Amino acid sequence: MLKIGIEQEDSQYSLRAKVFQQLEEDILDGKFKSGDSLIETKLSQELGVSRTPIREAIRQLELEGLVKIVPNKGAVVLGISTQDIEDIYTIRMLIEGLAVRWATEKINDEEIEKLKESIELSEFYTRKNNMQHLQRFDSRFHELIYEACKSKPLKHVLTTFHHYIQKARMSSFAAPGRASDALKEHKAILEAMIERDCDRAEKLMYEHVKNASANLIKAKKQNQN
Amino acid sequence: MLKIGIEQEDSQYSLRAKVFQQLEEDILDGKFKSGDSLIETKLSQELGVSRTPIREAIRQLELEGLVKIVPNKGAVVLGISTQDIEDIYTIRMLIEGLAVRWATEKINDEEIEKLKESIELSEFYTRKNNMQHLQRFDSRFHELIYEACKSKPLKHVLTTFHHYIQKARMSSFAAPGRASDALKEHKAILEAMIERDCDRAEKLMYEHVKNASANLIKAKKQNQN
DNA sequence: AATCGAAAAATTGTATGAATATCCTATCTC
DNA sequence: GAGATAGGATATTCATACAATTTTTCGATT
């Protein structure tokens, strides 16, 4: 098994983190719909833990904007609408280019190696047509750049957004040819980064997000028909 | 007393919210420095509440990126550096224009009235030279626009950032002439919005944030000398 | 004197109990 | 019959108790 430096999920350490992940996934996947209310006792029975970790996880979801807490009444799911996802792509078009620009200015050899590795693995799984793993390393490419840009606020916002749109990305990859196009775009971006060409890297990333967004909207229209 | 529609702080309702606000403020104000560890029992004694609300607040701070939680070990303060604040201004230059563009497209009469009101109050306190209240309504102008852009993700990120840089803004206003310049810029932005001139509003907001950023950096340099 | 290790202290993680607020419903009044 | 109201049920909030883990202390051994 290839050893890669994907950051460990802290879910193995605390119930709270597990519950948080579970609830977040359930909301993003639509198992909890907007307007559903999260009852502590019910959840604690379903998940087999006490109310304490449940409460802490719900409080975190509130700060993520995924639920709304009304004092003394409880938490209702807000979820993410397709409009939210479109907005996120629009925002990413504006700032993900900045991230790759800063990353290009500040990246070190080790980080470049990791980027290369993520692209190699993406190629591997593209050929294998394994969408699950493909998305994983496609995601990793972006998150490595967020890390490499060395800006806490920029990394924070992009990571959060990236997390939100995971589900949308999945269906986006299903479009024929999109996966290999995205891979080509990633390669071009990395090439520009290695040549320390900030302008080109920024422009390429802008185009990449724009293409992904266009692809997503196209896929959405097709689903409606 | 003039009745204005500032959203209520929910701190009056729950201990957790109070603790969260307190800790957040202490971190942003620098009372807790980066690297400090937050001990639950110590905080619970100092604030006179049990550990439960403390824990919940700390978990929220983690999601805001203000503290880092190491499982079974505790929470350490991360805080906000001056570099973080500069980065936030750079990001805002890119996306706050988008917010005002969307707001211009979607704003209704009631929201325009609120913007007018916030500007009138800013004028009042500018003449009075009351910086505390001035900042309050300057902030309100921006937050009304975040609300009016009707995009949950955009509002979320800008509100968070705005919150982070409160302290920096305060010192920025102290620069002679900056407060009245900012007010003029706000007026121009609102005018463009009322005329439904998206392009102009967007450009003016970009310039506004750019000016604020430049002013901040200038003030920072002066403080160093 | 330095190091290792075990016991003790400190701290976090989880569960549960007590108090309070809200909601629902049945009953009463007009 | 419609609306108000009281009371029980339900859920949240906060506190506390207990468990698990980490850190510190301190003494024994090399």
Side-chain angles (χ1 to χ4, degrees):
Chain A
M1 178 60 189
L2 201 51
K3 177 75 164 58
I4 48 163
I6 284 196
E7 51 278 13
Q8 288 198 339
E9 315 269 341
D10 63 351
S11 61
Q12 57 190 174
Y13 294 111
S14 79
L15 281 181
R16 185 214 92 241
K18 275 184 204 166
V19 172
F20 176 75
Q21 258 185 230
Q22 181 68 55
L23 291 179
E24 188 189 39
E25 194 187 318
D26 286 350
I27 292 173
L28 292 177
D29 283 357
K31 283 176 200 162
F32 289 121
K33 292 170 190 167
S34 282
D36 286 0
S37 56
L38 299 177
I39 311 294
E40 290 174 11
T41 47
K42 199 185 280 183
L43 290 171
S44 84
Q45 284 170 2
E46 285 174 13
L47 301 177
V49 300
S50 78
R51 279 152 34 218
T52 304
I54 305 274
R55 276 182 66 78
E56 291 177 353
I58 290 177
R59 291 303 177 280
Q60 290 195 301
L61 291 171
E62 181 194 23
L63 222 75
E64 240 192 347
L66 255 30
V67 308
K68 177 178 169 59
I69 293 178
V70 183
N72 290 316
K73 288 179 115 181
V76 297
V77 175
L78 293 180
I80 304 246
S81 68
T82 55
Q83 182 62 54
D84 290 339
I85 292 176
E86 280 184 35
D87 288 357
I88 287 174
Y89 271 94
T90 305
I91 299 166
R92 281 182 67 209
M93 275 192 240
L94 296 177
I95 59 175
E96 191 128 351
L98 179 65
V100 81
R101 164 177 290 277
W102 284 349
T104 302
E105 291 169 357
K106 295 163 189 166
I107 198 164
N108 59 40
D109 291 347
E110 188 191 344
E111 289 167 331
I112 286 178
E113 281 310 309
K114 284 185 185 172
L115 280 169
K116 280 183 185 169
E117 196 182 64
S118 84
I119 283 187
E120 282 164 17
L121 285 161
S122 289
E123 275 185 314
F124 178 73
Y125 288 115
T126 302
R127 281 199 302 274
K128 285 250 186 181
N129 219 33
N130 182 331
M131 288 299 153
Q132 188 93 37
H133 283 83
L134 178 54
Q135 179 178 22
R136 187 170 163 204
F137 291 103
D138 184 283
S139 283
R140 184 161 164 74
F141 180 81
H142 286 275
E143 287 182 352
L144 283 170
I145 288 175
Y146 305 157
E147 189 69 44
C149 80
K150 270 98 175 173
S151 168
K152 191 159 75 104
L154 189 50
K155 181 192 167 187
H156 189 259
V157 52
L158 283 173
T159 303
T160 307
F161 281 162
H162 192 253
H163 208 176
Y164 280 0
I165 58 177
Q166 283 305 316
K167 201 188 146 204
R169 289 162 58 76
M170 198 58 167
S171 61
S172 176
F173 271 151
R178 178 61 203 149
S180 67
D181 284 354
L183 181 56
K184 278 181 207 157
E185 290 161 15
H186 281 194
K187 278 185 184 173
I189 290 167
L190 177 57
E191 207 173 288
M193 291 179 77
I194 291 172
E195 294 172 18
R196 296 295 192 276
D197 188 339
C198 301
D199 293 338
R200 196 170 100 233
E202 179 176 357
K203 184 148 182 18
L204 286 170
M205 180 59 90
Y206 170 78
E207 296 294 338
H208 176 55
V209 177
K210 192 173 176 180
N211 290 340
S213 171
N215 184 268
L216 181 76
I217 290 171
K218 208 177 72 185
K220 186 183 151 194
K221 277 188 185 162
Q222 284 179 348
N223 280 347
Q224 286 173 343
N225 300 343
Chain B
M1 178 59 188
L2 201 51
K3 179 72 164 58
I4 47 163
I6 286 196
E7 50 278 13
Q8 289 198 340
E9 316 267 342
D10 63 350
S11 62
Q12 60 190 136
Y13 293 112
S14 80
L15 279 181
R16 184 213 92 242
K18 274 185 203 165
V19 172
F20 176 75
Q21 258 185 230
Q22 181 69 54
L23 292 179
E24 188 188 40
E25 194 188 317
D26 287 350
I27 292 174
L28 292 177
D29 283 356
K31 283 175 200 163
F32 289 121
K33 292 171 190 167
S34 282
D36 286 0
S37 56
L38 300 176
I39 310 294
E40 291 173 9
T41 47
K42 201 184 278 182
L43 290 171
S44 85
Q45 284 171 2
E46 284 174 13
L47 301 176
V49 299
S50 78
R51 277 175 53 217
T52 306
I54 305 273
R55 278 181 65 80
E56 291 176 356
I58 290 177
R59 293 304 178 280
Q60 290 195 302
L61 291 171
E62 180 194 25
L63 224 75
E64 240 192 345
L66 255 31
V67 308
K68 177 178 170 58
I69 293 178
V70 183
N72 289 315
K73 287 182 130 181
V76 297
V77 175
L78 294 180
I80 305 247
S81 67
T82 55
Q83 182 61 54
D84 290 338
I85 291 177
E86 279 185 36
D87 288 357
I88 286 174
Y89 271 95
T90 305
I91 299 166
R92 281 183 66 210
M93 275 192 241
L94 296 176
I95 59 175
E96 190 129 351
L98 179 65
V100 81
R101 165 177 290 277
W102 283 350
T104 302
E105 290 168 357
K106 294 163 190 167
I107 199 165
N108 59 39
D109 291 347
E110 187 191 344
E111 288 167 332
I112 286 178
E113 280 310 310
K114 284 185 184 171
L115 280 170
K116 280 183 183 167
E117 197 182 62
S118 84
I119 283 188
E120 281 163 18
L121 285 161
S122 289
E123 275 185 314
F124 178 74
Y125 288 114
T126 302
R127 282 198 300 275
K128 286 248 185 183
N129 219 33
N130 183 329
M131 288 300 153
Q132 188 92 37
H133 283 84
L134 179 53
Q135 179 177 24
R136 187 170 163 204
F137 291 104
D138 185 282
S139 283
R140 184 162 163 74
F141 180 81
H142 286 275
E143 288 182 351
L144 283 169
I145 287 174
Y146 304 158
E147 188 68 44
C149 81
K150 270 96 175 174
S151 168
K152 191 159 75 102
L154 190 50
K155 180 193 167 187
H156 190 259
V157 52
L158 283 173
T159 302
T160 306
F161 280 162
H162 193 253
H163 207 176
Y164 279 1
I165 59 177
Q166 282 305 315
K167 202 185 146 207
R169 289 163 57 78
M170 197 58 166
S171 60
S172 177
F173 271 151
R178 179 58 203 150
S180 67
D181 284 355
L183 181 57
K184 277 182 208 156
E185 289 163 14
H186 281 195
K187 277 184 184 173
I189 290 167
L190 177 56
E191 209 173 286
M193 291 178 77
I194 290 172
E195 293 172 18
R196 297 293 193 277
D197 189 338
C198 302
D199 292 339
R200 196 170 100 232
E202 180 176 357
K203 183 144 182 19
L204 287 170
M205 180 59 90
Y206 169 78
E207 296 294 337
H208 176 55
V209 177
K210 193 174 177 181
N211 290 339
S213 171
N215 184 268
L216 180 77
I217 290 169
K218 207 177 71 186
K220 186 182 151 195
K221 277 188 184 161
Q222 283 180 351
N223 281 346
Q224 285 174 343
N225 300 342

